[in-house]
Amino acid sequence: MENYIVSARKYRPATFDSVVGQHALTTTLKNAIATGKLAHAYLFCGPRGVGKTTCARIFAKTINCLNPTPEGEACNACESCVAFNEQRSYNIHELDAASNNSVDDIRQLVEQVRIPPQIGHYKVYIIDEVHMLSTAAFNAFLKTLEEPPHHAIFILATTEKHKIIPTILSRCQIYDFNRIGVEDTIAHLAYVASKEGITAEPEALNVIALKADGGMRDALSIFDQVVSFTGGHITYQSAIENLNVLDYEYYFRLTDYLLAGGVGDALLLLAEVMNKGFDAGGFITGLSSHFRDLLVSGDEATLPLLEVGAGIRQRYRVQAQRCLPAFLYRAMKLCNDCDLNYRASKNKRLLVELTLIELAQLTAGDEEAPCGGQRPTETIQPLRTPAAPVTPAPAAAVPPAPQGSVAPARQPLEIPPAPKATSTVHVSSLGISIKKAYLQGQETPSPTPARQAEAAPPENTPFTAEALSRCWMEYAVALPHEQIALSKQMQLLRPAMLDETTFEVVVDNELAAKEFTALIPALQTFLRAKLHHGGVAMNVRVSAPEEVTRAYSPAEKFTLMVEKNPSLKQLQEEFGLSLY
């Protein structure tokens, strides 16, 4: 039985012209070879499976070819090319940095660099996954990489350029490989299928190309998998069945349900999809991609961004005409939020169902624009109907409030006298509103504890230290978020009564003393109103060096507890208790 070779190895490019999707890079390398302007170090970086190592091998083979073709390719006939094709060339060395990443491995490589080539012009060292080298190995490699012998060329390949130290990057010519486009991948898969005698539908190859996500090696591996499943005749249905990809038809149906506001139909379709074994997270991700494809299908300028088969392209155009951009914008935003929250959610199915319900509500109640993407405008009815101003009348002429209406309780408002103020009377179903002309256009400030206290002078009622502490904590907790530091500091302090009306607060430093001194007017007003005593006064004092204002350590806390209850000291001595 003949040994089977996977397509990724069997159809690996052997010339620059056969490299797929990297025309700019291959042209640059061919021109460098033709003009003899070769650098001593190259860095090939890019995603997996896009041709980095392949281009490095082709480059190494071409620069050592004894009889290159006029097009700048290797001849495949000279001794150097034959040795390379038979994998016995001593001029080309490949090193896997993932498993040879120590300083000793690099030192051994540096010693080999000194030996000149026996056949050909250059000794080429291809180091794959170079970002796996340790920092010490990178440092040991710096001097040789900067000034190698004239016969040595280094080609470094990596998928993670950001992990390479800057001193290495500055010594290399950097070539960034791009992801291979869907169209280029489909064309190459069609070429491989024709060589292997396999029939494949374009839509099936499109599914494989999208699944590969820009990597040709992945695309060829998936292609071999689908060929094994279908037996040589690849159809769209067989491809999506084997690759566990959801059919486009589900997304088209779901979009129709959402445009019609069919919440029940959308939930039933989700249940059908999940019963087929598909993950709800993958379903919502595919739905967001479907909305994105609908968005780019609605404009001729963005139509090239639609990466689907020719048979499905027309369906996208038809459905895109029914969806306004506003609907698609909000739909993609909802799907993206669901995707971000999916992993952290404990009830993942409910999260997706809620998203579908919100999507269906985007068009509810808007008959003129069934896909406008906006919620219906809500009309807010006024609490009471405004009435036209009438001429001021005596109190007896004012009509009484209708039966059943309850006049709101009004606080007495003291208005300073003004000469000949013109009054305006508004009559409504809830009562009468009288405003002075000079008050119109002014905003009444929101009442604060201090202002409320000023409105009602407190009575001189005796109060206790416990009541003072409760009011102190109440004020501290009620401070706004901008004064959170002051609030926390107040909660740690306890006011000490000096006499029946005056209390003292002892702080640690002058800065705290300034803050609490600035707080005295407002705090005194608040406490006078709460304690019903107009003589409440507050003093602020900085503690002396030998004075302990707050217990920090366990020993200090125990000392304060013993001062309050001396029995604790006797208990410690009798049982031999320790604080640590």
Side-chain angles (χ1 to χ4, degrees), residues 162-189:
H162 61 279
K163 291 186 177 181
I164 301 178
I165 60 178
T167 49
I168 293 290
L169 296 176
S170 63
R171 289 164 168 80
C172 302
Q173 282 190 8
I174 302 176
Y175 288 78
D176 291 305
F177 284 69
N178 303 319
R179 293 184 180 273
I180 301 176
V182 175
E183 295 182 356
D184 292 335
T185 304
I186 293 174
H188 188 67
L189 292 177

Side-chain angles (χ1 to χ4, degrees), residues 282-355:
F283 172 74
I284 206 68
T285 303
L287 182 60
S288 61
S289 300
H290 179 75
F291 288 140
R292 177 260 182 195
D293 292 339
L294 287 174
L295 182 65
V296 301
S297 301
D299 190 356
E300 292 293 335
T302 58
L303 194 59
L305 299 177
L306 184 62
E307 298 177 341
V308 297
I312 308 176
R313 189 179 297 265
Q314 184 60 28
R315 291 198 61 183
Y316 272 101
R317 285 188 174 184
V318 173
Q319 193 172 69
Q321 299 302 319
R322 303 177 52 210
C323 304
L324 294 180
F327 167 75
L328 296 175
Y329 295 153
R330 297 190 62 187
M332 287 190 294
K333 178 66 169 58
L334 289 174
C335 291
N336 185 63
D337 292 342
C338 178
D339 185 32
L340 294 176
N341 299 326
Y342 185 81
R343 180 174 296 181
S345 175
K346 294 184 178 179
N347 195 339
K348 302 182 185 302
R349 178 167 182 169
L350 179 61
L351 176 65
V352 177
E353 289 178 340
L354 289 175
T355 303

Side-chain angles (χ1 to χ4, degrees), residues 230-506:
T230 60
H233 181 64
I234 305 176
T235 61
Y236 173 74
Q237 290 297 331
S238 62
I240 63 175
E241 181 180 357
N242 180 253
L243 300 178
N244 197 30
V245 176
L246 198 59
D247 191 2
Y248 290 108
E249 183 64 30
Y250 286 98
Y251 296 122
F252 283 113
R253 285 171 50 196
L254 180 59
T255 304
D256 292 336
Y257 295 153
L258 297 178
L259 293 177
V263 176
D265 294 332
L267 296 181
L268 290 175
L269 188 141
L270 174 63
E272 179 183 350
V273 169
M274 296 186 68
N275 290 336
K276 289 182 176 292
F278 292 98
D279 180 60
F283 172 74
I284 206 68
T285 303
L287 182 60
S288 61
S289 300
H290 179 75
F291 288 140
R292 177 260 182 195
D293 292 339
L294 287 174
L295 182 65
V296 301
S297 301
D299 190 356
E300 292 293 335
T302 58
L303 194 59
L305 299 177
L306 184 62
E307 298 177 341
V308 297
I312 308 176
R313 189 179 297 265
Q314 184 60 28
R315 291 198 61 183
Y316 272 101
R317 285 188 174 184
V318 173
Q319 193 172 69
Q321 299 302 319
R322 303 177 52 210
C323 304
L324 294 180
F327 167 75
L328 296 175
Y329 295 153
R330 297 190 62 187
M332 287 190 294
K333 178 66 169 58
L334 289 174
C335 291
N336 185 63
D337 292 342
C338 178
D339 185 32
L340 294 176
N341 299 326
Y342 185 81
R343 180 174 296 181
S345 175
K346 294 184 178 179
N347 195 339
K348 302 182 185 302
R349 178 167 182 169
L350 179 61
L351 176 65
V352 177
E353 289 178 340
L354 289 175
T355 303
L356 295 181
I357 294 173
E358 290 185 79
L359 291 172
Q361 295 297 321
L362 291 180
T363 58
D366 195 354
E367 298 178 357
E368 297 180 358
C371 52
Q374 299 179 353
R375 296 184 183 274
T377 304
E378 297 181 359
T379 304
I380 303 177
Q381 299 296 334
L383 183 62
R384 58 183 181 181
T385 57
V390 298
T391 307
V398 176
Q403 295 182 0
S405 63
V406 180
R410 300 178 180 271
Q411 298 293 336
L413 177 64
E414 296 181 3
I415 303 176
K420 298 181 181 180
T422 305
S423 300
T424 304
V425 182
H426 296 278
V427 182
S428 66
S429 60
L430 297 180
I432 303 172
S433 174
I434 302 176
K435 295 183 179 179
K436 296 296 182 179
Y438 61 82
L439 291 178
Q440 294 180 356
Q442 299 182 359
E443 296 183 358
T444 303
S446 59
T448 61
R451 288 174 179 158
Q452 291 177 354
E454 291 174 357
E459 300 176 358
N460 293 333
T461 303
F463 60 92
T464 62
E466 291 77 8
L468 174 64
S469 297
R470 286 196 302 269
C471 296
W472 173 276
M473 294 299 296
E474 181 180 351
Y475 190 90
V477 174
L479 285 176
H481 184 71
E482 293 77 7
Q483 295 179 310
I484 185 66
L486 183 60
S487 174
K488 297 296 184 183
Q489 192 172 5
M490 285 188 66
Q491 296 178 38
L492 294 176
L493 297 177
R494 293 293 180 271
M497 297 290 297
L498 300 179
D499 53 34
E500 294 181 354
T501 59
T502 307
F503 67 93
E504 183 183 57
V505 177
V506 183

